Amino acid sequence: MDTQQFWKLIEEARSQVPAPANGDAVVERATALLALRPAEEIVAAQQILRGLMADSYRAPLWGAAYVINGGCSDDGFDYFRGWLITQGRGTFDRAITDPDALTELPAVRASAPEWDFEDGDELSRRLPRLTELYAEPGRVDAAARL
């Protein structure tokens, strides 16, 4: 298996799952497809995967993962890059060169927070009665009072 065949496997897996943005489903299907291949191809696929993980270990991409996920540990960055690989070669290559382009992905847009829970003005606008009930002079921190 070479890199082109690896990406073809990912695309095949994506085409066979109901929600291709779901990285876990793509991984499960790609694993099933890969299991049908000779051991040498499985080993080669693992080496290609490791190479892609290494190629994507970049600070700007980590920053994007941090923003998208509201934080990003070492393990979280590994998971994020694994998910990114399941999104296909075009998405992966584009994110490596321009992490800000991830905003074009429906899955990223759908996971964007709707509002900042620590923004007292926004909290008051959206939940006026609760913030009034739990408000302390100069501070809105309902979680701290529960």
Side-chain angles (χ1 to χ4, degrees), residues 28-114:
E28 186 176 317
R29 187 65 194 137
T31 300
L33 292 170
L34 194 56
L36 302 173
R37 298 182 182 231
E40 301 82 35
E41 288 190 39
I42 296 170
V43 171
Q46 178 62 33
Q47 291 171 334
I48 293 165
L49 177 61
R50 285 184 183 158
L52 293 171
M53 292 293 284
D55 292 346
S56 61
Y57 194 88
R58 300 176 180 200
L61 187 60
W62 199 330
Y66 187 94
V67 170
I68 291 167
N69 293 313
C72 191
S73 66
D74 291 348
D75 289 346
F77 189 44
D78 285 345
Y79 304 143
F80 178 81
R81 290 178 294 141
W83 170 81
L84 187 57
I85 290 167
T86 69
Q87 300 311 293
R89 186 177 200 164
T91 299
F92 179 82
D93 288 345
R94 177 99 191 266
I96 298 304
T97 58
D98 181 14
D100 204 36
L102 288 166
T103 59
E104 298 168 9
L105 295 180
V108 171
R109 297 183 75 71
S111 70
E114 294 182 8

